């Protein structure tokens, strides 16, 4: 059962909590990050997940709940990752709130998709992905992906993603980050 109001999945085999303190280096404005953290180690997002055996042919399904908030003018978001097994894809179905899906690949292509209740988003193989809460309430979506996909966080941790999603003058804006394109060979495997 998934509660569409809260994103809570019952039963869930696992629950991951990501607080600000676990997201060092993720937000572009390091000074704003440290100031937020000093105030409170806020909960940024949670993931409720099923954990079947990590074998080819099985699927993992999970719900992610990103809470509303900002670090400086950058919205709360997930860390972002490539799947360790690069040729695996994923689908997201949004059930609550408003957000954006930031996608990029090692060839330097990047795109941003709107997510809203009822929207289904496809993450093709070989694309890194991050979700951003651009709304005022919890942003909730269901994800389904191959159980043997695994996660590579290191590639995105090393230099961030190419697009930033910010609030400027009350508007949501998408800007190119300082990092114009991936370093040679990065993210390729
Ligand atoms: C897993 C899937 C999601 C994310 C979750 C948190 O492949 O894409 O369940 O794990 O939204 O994001 P992240 O980047 O911290 O794993
Ligand atoms: Zn994923």
């Amino acid at each position: 059962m998934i509660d569409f109001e809260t994103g809570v999945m019952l039963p869930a085999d696992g629950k991951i909590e990501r607080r600000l303190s676990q997201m060092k280096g993720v937000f572009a404005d390091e000074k704003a990050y440290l100031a937020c953290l000093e105030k409170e180690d806020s909960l940024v997002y949670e993931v409720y997940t099923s954990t079947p055996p990590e074998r080819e042919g099985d699927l993992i399904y999970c719900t992610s709940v990103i809470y509303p908030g900002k670090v400086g003018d950058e919205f709360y978001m997930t860390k972002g990752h490539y799947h360790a097994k690069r040729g695996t894809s994923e689908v997201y179905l949004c059930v609550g709130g408003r957000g954006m899906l930031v996608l990029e690949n090692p060839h330097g292509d990047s795109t941003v998709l709107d997510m809203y209740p009822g929207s289904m988003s496809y993450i093709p193989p070989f694309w890194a992905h991050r979700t951003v809460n651009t709304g005022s309430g919890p942003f909730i979506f269901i994800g389904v992906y191959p159980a043997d996909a695994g996660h590579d966080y290191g590639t995105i941790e090393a230099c961030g993603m190419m697009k930033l999603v910010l609030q400027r003058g009350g508007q949501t804006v998408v800007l190119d980050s300082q990092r114009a394109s991936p370093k040679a060979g990065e993210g390729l495997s």
Side-chain angles (χ1 to χ4, degrees), residues 81-83 89-90 92 123 127 129 145 149-151:
H81 60 268
Y82 278 97
H83 289 163
S89 55
E90 183 160 6
Y92 285 163
I123 300 161
W127 284 74
H129 40 290
Y145 60 102
H151 293 90

Side-chain angles (χ1 to χ4, degrees), residues 71 74 99 110 115 137-138:
V71 171
E74 192 171 21
S110 67
M115 290 177 70

Side-chain angles (χ1 to χ4, degrees), residues 9 21 45 57 75 103 112 123 142 158 168 178:
M9 186 166 88
S21 56
Y45 62 97
F75 290 108
L103 294 164
V112 173
I123 300 161
I142 297 166
R168 293 265 167 91
Q178 301 292 32

